[in-house]
């Protein structure tokens, strides 16, 4: 009789063992795990900057949030603001997955992965004090004998590369602030900036426009890209990025940028 009872209870006991052996799932565990792409940025408003609510953001981050992340079915997390040399080190170590907005130079081409399509293109310029005798730049010789402030690890236009033009470089997230002070104090003769729109945005927002004169350089516009790590993960992300960019409207990035620019 006891044996019969044990036999009748056997299915119940087996069910209990099965249930107890299952992992405990939270409400979120039943959902597919979304991958997170880690974006690292440096200071270059309005493309990369601290937003009004204190978060790392800007036009390049908006582009990832609105176009790329939804198409990739990923989340993004943004960190910064860091100097460019530190961002490159973080990208090599795999601490971040992408720098969203940066120029192409030989050193980066050998160490990292550029996508097939650029985001946009920018124009270079020289900045001088309002009382400077330099009003136009027609030839390289116009800059001979000058010390020009710039940033470490930045793209340098060929027009500037000459033994009679000295570049004085700074490595800081606040490179424009530091260089502006040096210009106003007479420690440099001029400043180089390869992003005219970003420069105008920052000078206007800080009230510095009245102190300076901006002289465009007659050079080809410089292409801007997102940059990926030279790793298996980086190659996968770059390939997916290239695929998705084929579906993104060509003017999408510039349309986002115009939200930040005040038309005078």
């Amino acid at each position: 009789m006891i044996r019969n009872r044990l036999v009748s209870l056997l299915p119940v006991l087996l069910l209990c063992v099965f249930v107890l052996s299952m992992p405990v799932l939270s409400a979120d565990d039943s959902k597919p795990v979304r991958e997170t792409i880690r974006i690292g940025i440096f200071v270059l408003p309005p493309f990369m900057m601290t937003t009004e609510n204190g978060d790392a953001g800007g036009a390049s981050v908006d582009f990832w949030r609105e176009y790329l992340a939804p198409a990739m079915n990923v989340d993004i997390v943004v960190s910064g603001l860091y100097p460019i040399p530190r961002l490159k080190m973080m990208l090599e170590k795999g601490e971040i997955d992408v720098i969203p907005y940066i120029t192409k130079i030989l050193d980066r081409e050998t160490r990292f992965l550029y996508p097939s399509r650029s985001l946009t293109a920018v124009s270079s310029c020289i900045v001088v004090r309002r009382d400077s005798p330099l009003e136009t730049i027609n030839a390289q010789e116009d800059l001979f004998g000058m010390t020009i402030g710039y940033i470490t690890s930045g793209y340098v236009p060929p027009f500037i590369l000459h033994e009679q033009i000295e570049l004085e470089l700074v490595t800081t997230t606040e490179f424009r602030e530091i260089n502006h002070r040096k210009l106003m104090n007479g420690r440099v003769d001029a400043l180089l900036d390869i992003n005219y729109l970003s420069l105008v945005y920052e000078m206007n927002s800080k009230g510095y426009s009245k102190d300076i004169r901006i002289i465009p350089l007659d050079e080809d516009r410089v292409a801007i890209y997102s940059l990926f790590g030279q790793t298996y993960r980086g190659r996968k992300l770059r390939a997916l990025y290239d695929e998705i960019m084929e579906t993104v409207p060509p003017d999408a990035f510039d349309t986002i940028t115009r939200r930040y620019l005040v038309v005078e």
Side-chain angles (χ1 to χ4, degrees), residues 14 19 77-78 88-89 117 228:
L14 290 174
V19 170
V77 59
V78 186
K88 292 194 294 186
M89 182 178 65
R117 178 175 148 186
F228 300 89

Side-chain angles (χ1 to χ4, degrees), residues 16-165:
C16 290
V17 171
F18 175 74
V19 170
L20 291 173
S21 67
M22 293 178 63
V24 178
L25 299 177
S26 69
D28 290 335
D29 288 331
S30 60
K31 300 177 182 178
V33 177
R34 284 167 60 91
E35 188 175 359
T36 297
I37 292 180
R38 300 158 299 171
I39 295 175
I41 64 174
F42 58 97
V43 177
L44 194 70
F47 305 105
M48 296 173 287
M49 61 184 186
T50 302
T51 61
E52 291 180 357
N53 58 11
D55 296 330
S60 65
V61 175
D62 291 349
F63 182 74
W64 270 83
R65 285 201 176 105
E66 295 176 28
Y67 285 94
L68 301 176
M72 291 180 175
N73 194 31
V74 298
D75 295 320
I76 65 169
V77 59
V78 186
S79 62
L81 306 158
Y82 303 118
I84 293 176
R86 181 175 175 184
L87 282 175
K88 292 194 294 186
M89 182 178 65
M90 293 171 70
L91 194 56
E92 284 185 315
K93 290 182 176 181
E95 296 173 5
I96 59 173
D97 298 309
V98 61
I99 301 172
Y101 186 100
I102 201 163
T103 53
K104 182 185 287 188
I105 60 175
L106 182 59
D107 173 67
R108 294 176 198 149
E109 285 190 88
T110 59
R111 295 166 57 190
F112 305 104
L113 298 174
Y114 282 93
S116 301
R117 178 175 148 186
S118 63
L119 286 171
T120 187
V122 296
S123 300
S124 302
C125 57
I126 292 291
V127 184
V128 295
R129 290 169 41 148
R130 282 281 180 186
D131 59 2
S132 170
L134 186 65
E135 296 186 354
T136 61
I137 300 173
N138 300 310
Q140 231 180 7
E141 289 78 7
D142 294 332
L143 300 176
F144 282 1
M146 298 183 74
T147 299
I148 299 176
Y150 192 44
I151 182 175
T152 303
S153 299
Y155 167 82
V156 180
F159 188 87
I160 301 296
L161 296 174
H162 195 282
E163 60 183 10
Q164 294 193 51
I165 301 173

Side-chain angles (χ1 to χ4, degrees), residues 190-203:
L191 306 175
L192 169 65
D193 206 293
I194 64 162
N195 198 314
Y196 175 84
L197 284 180
S198 175
L199 173 70
V200 170
Y201 176 92
E202 188 166 352
M203 295 299 99

Side-chain angles (χ1 to χ4, degrees), residues 62-64 66-68 70-71 117-121 224 241-259:
D62 291 349
F63 182 74
W64 270 83
E66 295 176 28
Y67 285 94
L68 301 176
R117 178 175 148 186
S118 63
L119 286 171
T120 187
I224 300 292
Y241 177 97
D242 278 339
E243 180 182 334
I244 290 169
M245 284 293 285
E246 291 295 324
T247 68
V248 175
D251 63 342
F253 186 85
D254 293 334
T255 299
I256 289 176
T257 299
R258 282 193 287 272
R259 299 177 193 165

Side-chain angles (χ1 to χ4, degrees), residues 176-188:
R176 281 193 180 131
E177 180 71 31
I178 299 298
N179 278 333
H180 180 78
R181 288 183 207 156
K182 291 168 70 173
L183 180 65
M184 292 298 102
N185 293 333
R187 293 171 56 194
V188 294

